[in-house]
Amino acid sequence: MPIDDYNTEATELVETYDFLMKYIVIGEAATGKSCLLHHFTHNSFKDHSQHTIGVEFSSRLVKLGEKRIKLQLWDTAGQERFRSVTRSYYRGAAGAILVYDITNRESFKNLSRWLADARALASPHLVCVLVGNKSDKEEEREVEWSEASRWAAENGECLHFLEASSLTGDNVEAPFLLAARAILLSIESGILDPEKAGSGVSYGDRALRRVNSSSRLSFGSFSGSRRKKGTLKLKVQNWVPGTRCC
Amino acid sequence: MEQKLIQGSKQFLNALGEVDQKLELLQSHILDMRVSCDEAEAQLKLTNDASKSLLERAGSLREQRQEVEEKKSIVTLFLARFTLNEEDIVALTSRDVPVGKLFFEAMDKTEQIRRDCRVLMAGEDGPTKAGLDIMASTSSYLEQGFEKISRWCTNEFRELGRETIIDVTPTLQEAIKRLRSRPELLTEVLSMLSQIRQATLLSSFITALTRGGPSGLPRPIELHAHDPMRYIGDMLAWVHQTIAAEREFLEGLFGLKSDGRMVGSIRRFDYRGEEEEWMQELLDLAVGKLCSPLKARVLQTVRSQESSIVSYKIANLLQFYMVTMHRTIGEKAIVSETLKETTEVAYKVFHDAVDAQGRSLMRVPLDPDDPSLTPPPPILEHAQILREIMTVYHSSMLGDESNVGQATGFQDISNAMVDPAIEMCITSSAQKKQIRPKWDQSVFILNCLCYLQDTLDIYPFTSGKKEHVRSVIQERIALLIQEHFADLLTKAGLQALYQTCEACPVDEPLSHAPGAQPPEVKVALQKFSAWLSSPEVVQSARLSHLTAQRLHAQVHQAALGRLAKAYRRICDEVRNPKNRYEAGSTLLGSERPFGQAHLLWQIFGLHEDAGDDDGDQ
């Protein structure tokens, strides 16, 4: 997977962005969801991680081509007893990172239920990425790559699959970027409208400013402009730098 | 010759006379010249004197010019450093220059001027007029600049504040940072922002509740009002997510780097920077506005529940969010306060439901026609509710509670659920016993109590109540042992004899007492011997109705132990010469166990000591 093309950057001080996307991280307990997220946001392994209680939140800015995207990440508890609480956070998510543990077949068995739940409750154009975590523990593997890959292929178009390790950091950014790219493509092709509440995506100031100066959105590396005209009705009046102060 | 000499001399004289004349002329010329020269010299001297002052004047003029030049450059420099140029002034005051880089530079410059000027005026000579002028003019421009920032921010907020999620531009961040030095302007701007955010979040919340997303997805939250857990959960999750987004916006606005903490994890409230205070206040007010629709809906849902289990689940859900909010926005926040109130109401509703459940249980009479001794349906249903409540309680643990804390938390519920059940078993069974005397009340009560004990046994946090139930069971066991002993004594035929032994006055021989005369003793011993061969010795038919088999053994053995002691007492009395039995030993030896109490212990399969202990209990 050509992840290297994405050119990720560390979070900068001034965090303006083109798009804001809401993600949920879901899956059985003890599959390493919080660690994966921690590695993604802090670039280090989270040692002595406790069970997540309910839900926790963090965010990170990533760069995808020319686009700066702010990811709002909701980390959910995997334990059954929190299910009724965590399900409420699926509402209006644009992306879901579905995590299982490659050394624990039990965590793989219920994926259909997790996926169905997410698709029923999140945004209608939810992009899912299946992540087989703990890929560093090859000797304890219980779920083969090919099996998971096949399962992903059988379970819908919007489902990508890869394996990662929140211990070594291997492939930790890829699922988040894959989802972001898929969502950007949806926006570009007009399937997804960030202007609509509940899509899980909204425009940032940066995108609006660019719209004002060039009166069209260009998508950097995705600039094959397949977007239908008029699908993006931007509130240009919201950003007119300086012309209306005082 | 002479003549020639004279002539020559004459000629010589003439020539010399001529020379003399010429010389004289020359002399007069020289004199003239001298006079002229003197004149010239005098003139020169005069001139010289005259030009000297001119020169001096020229020199001093030159110096003056230099000084002026220097002063001029100093003044230029001074002016450049201490006054604002036209562009700066325009940037500061005009609407045409946007708030941005140019504007901020002009602001910086103005402030620099004022700082420098203040340093200058701090000198020995005290404030100069120029200094005061500069301070006055820059002050007015600076204030205009701040006014401009505040107007701009107001506009900006008015435009952006309507968005659910706001992205903070560097300019806005800088503007707010600068306004920090004008607290009254900052307060004004932020108050306006606060009002806009309150209105915006409230309307987003109402939209999410009643309309949902565009084209109905995600569905409106109120669509699930029939499912109380989902309904309340969705509302609170919405509020929680809004808090996270709003906090991010405010962190951006105040230029605070997020501390890398995950929302939901414990926040430390000991550090209180000014920004932090602003942020908390703004967040509190913005989200606080959501409380009234939230509270109304939650309370309505809470009050309309009929099932105590659902009430309990709701109360726990509310408490979970109360704890989450305490940890993220503090206990003093309006949302936290509201959640605290609603949680209390929810628990009150639940406790009321449990109390009502207990009261109604106590009002249920037992079916007098039902001969069974197992726990009746009302108790089974009640225990099932208790079981479900325990499951909910168990799942509401966050995992950081101590065992003692867990037990304390469950105490009220277990009291409210178990005490009425115990009381119902005892009082209702007493009523039934009056209607149906042959019905075995004691076994029934023990069966019910053991069932309750087993129900409580699933979770460790019920230990306190379990101990209580255990002690009630022990009391009931003691009563049953007493009853069973009396039963056995009657069945074994020793009852009359034993009672006479017990009741016999000391000064009268037992053999003379009615009921203990030798023939009667003999009959009793024969009957006892026959009873020893019956299956009752091994197992009691009555006790077989106890659902807990270990209780059967315990009660039976304790009763047998007492029976053995009763037999020993009888033997002792018969052998005692004071009681005047003829051949007492022979009388005893005629029937099993031949007056030997230890044989009886063996027959009963008991150790004498153990029997003593049980008997004493």
Side-chain angles (χ1 to χ4, degrees), chain B residues 160-262:
Chain B
L160 292 174
R162 312 261 174 248
E163 304 288 322
T164 316
I165 294 167
I166 310 179
D167 181 18
V168 179
T169 61
T171 314
L172 189 55
Q173 202 183 80
E174 180 68 27
I176 292 295
K177 193 175 135 199
R178 284 172 187 267
L179 277 186
R180 297 262 327 266
S181 59
R182 289 294 178 281
E184 67 289 346
L185 289 178
L186 183 66
T187 310
E188 199 178 297
V189 166
L190 291 180
S191 314
M192 209 210 56
L193 172 69
S194 178
Q195 275 173 13
I196 291 173
R197 293 309 289 161
Q198 288 173 33
T200 304
L201 293 187
L202 181 62
S203 81
S204 318
F205 186 46
I206 300 295
T207 305
L209 282 171
T210 55
R211 299 222 319 266
S215 64
L217 280 171
R219 296 185 191 288
I221 293 174
E222 284 188 345
L223 201 68
H224 302 283
H226 59 277
D227 176 352
M229 288 300 283
R230 175 158 185 196
Y231 182 44
I232 294 177
D234 278 3
M235 281 193 281
L236 291 170
W238 194 95
V239 171
H240 185 199
Q241 293 178 79
T242 303
I243 287 175
E246 194 68 8
R247 170 130 196 131
E248 280 220 315
F249 156 63
L250 291 170
E251 275 174 359
L253 189 66
F254 288 100
L256 288 185
K257 273 303 277 176
S258 170
D259 50 9
R261 190 190 58 90
M262 301 284 276

Side-chain angles (χ1 to χ4, degrees), chain A residues 21-26 33 37 54-59 71-77 86 89-91 93 95 97 176, chain B residues 237-245 262-264:
Chain A
M21 298 178 183
K22 177 182 166 184
Y23 283 15
I24 44 171
V25 184
I26 54 175
K33 295 179 291 301
L37 197 52
V55 277
E56 296 188 347
F57 168 82
S58 65
S59 64
L71 302 179
Q72 267 193 347
L73 304 156
W74 289 92
D75 180 22
T76 64
T86 54
Y89 288 79
Y90 291 17
R91 212 182 131 78
I97 309 294
F176 299 93
Chain B
W238 194 95
V239 171
H240 185 199
Q241 293 178 79
T242 303
I243 287 175
M262 301 284 276
V263 172

Side-chain angles (χ1 to χ4, degrees), chain A residues 227-244:
Chain A
R227 183 168 56 83
K228 283 174 232 148
K229 274 189 180 170
T231 47
L232 295 173
K233 284 172 283 173
L234 295 166
K235 289 185 204 157
V236 173
Q237 72 274 14
N238 267 2
W239 177 258
V240 188
T243 53
R244 57 191 152 68

Side-chain angles (χ1 to χ4, degrees), chain B residues 100-155:
Chain B
K101 192 164 175 285
L102 266 180
F103 170 78
F104 288 133
E105 279 170 5
M107 288 285 287
D108 284 340
K109 190 172 167 189
T110 316
E111 285 183 345
Q112 183 62 41
I113 289 171
R114 293 174 61 77
R115 260 195 308 281
D116 292 346
C117 193
R118 228 169 273 133
V119 171
L120 277 185
M121 296 204 301
E124 285 177 8
D125 302 338
T128 58
K129 184 171 183 304
L132 291 174
D133 286 351
I134 289 168
M135 292 304 272
S137 71
T138 49
S139 156
S140 120
Y141 287 129
L142 194 64
E143 289 320 307
Q144 288 184 55
F146 278 120
E147 292 282 340
K148 180 167 161 178
I149 295 183
S150 98
R151 274 195 302 272
W152 180 79
C153 285
T154 307
N155 265 312

Side-chain angles (χ1 to χ4, degrees), chain B residues 407-420:
Chain B
T408 321
F410 198 68
Q411 213 161 21
D412 286 350
I413 300 171
S414 57
N415 287 345
M417 285 298 285
V418 178
D419 291 353

Side-chain angles (χ1 to χ4, degrees), chain B residues 365-373 431-433 435-436 439:
Chain B
L366 291 174
D367 178 5
D369 298 329
D370 181 6
S372 68
L373 298 174
Q431 287 160 9
K432 181 168 172 178
K433 180 84 178 167
I435 304 168
R436 196 185 170 98
W439 183 67

Side-chain angles (χ1 to χ4, degrees), chain B residues 235-373:
Chain B
M235 281 193 281
L236 291 170
W238 194 95
V239 171
H240 185 199
Q241 293 178 79
T242 303
I243 287 175
E246 194 68 8
R247 170 130 196 131
E248 280 220 315
F249 156 63
L250 291 170
E251 275 174 359
L253 189 66
F254 288 100
L256 288 185
K257 273 303 277 176
S258 170
D259 50 9
R261 190 190 58 90
M262 301 284 276
V263 172
S265 59
I266 297 163
R267 177 190 287 284
R268 292 167 58 112
F269 290 98
D270 45 1
Y271 167 70
R272 288 246 173 195
E274 198 183 322
E275 290 100 339
E276 184 63 38
E277 278 174 18
W278 269 117
M279 276 168 56
Q280 280 185 15
E281 193 181 335
L282 286 171
L283 188 61
D284 191 18
L285 288 172
V287 187
K289 207 71 175 175
L290 306 177
C291 285
S292 116
L294 177 72
K295 190 173 165 183
R297 282 166 175 80
V298 171
L299 287 184
Q300 192 192 17
T301 312
V302 164
R303 294 205 169 105
S304 60
Q305 294 315 311
E306 284 170 7
S307 152
S308 56
I309 296 154
V310 177
S311 295
Y312 193 44
K313 282 183 180 169
I314 294 174
N316 275 313
L317 181 69
L318 288 168
Q319 189 176 28
F320 170 80
Y321 273 101
M322 183 181 82
V323 173
T324 306
M325 293 304 169
H326 279 187
R327 289 175 176 183
T328 44
I329 53 173
E331 292 186 18
K332 301 255 160 48
I334 303 169
V335 175
S336 300
E337 295 277 352
T338 306
L339 277 172
K340 191 165 164 246
E341 277 170 47
T342 45
T343 307
E344 277 164 11
V345 172
Y347 274 118
K348 173 107 184 22
V349 166
F350 164 66
H351 282 293
D352 288 351
V354 168
D355 288 344
Q357 163 84 22
R359 278 196 304 278
S360 74
L361 181 70
M362 288 200 285
R363 280 199 299 272
V364 177
L366 291 174
D367 178 5
D369 298 329
D370 181 6
S372 68
L373 298 174

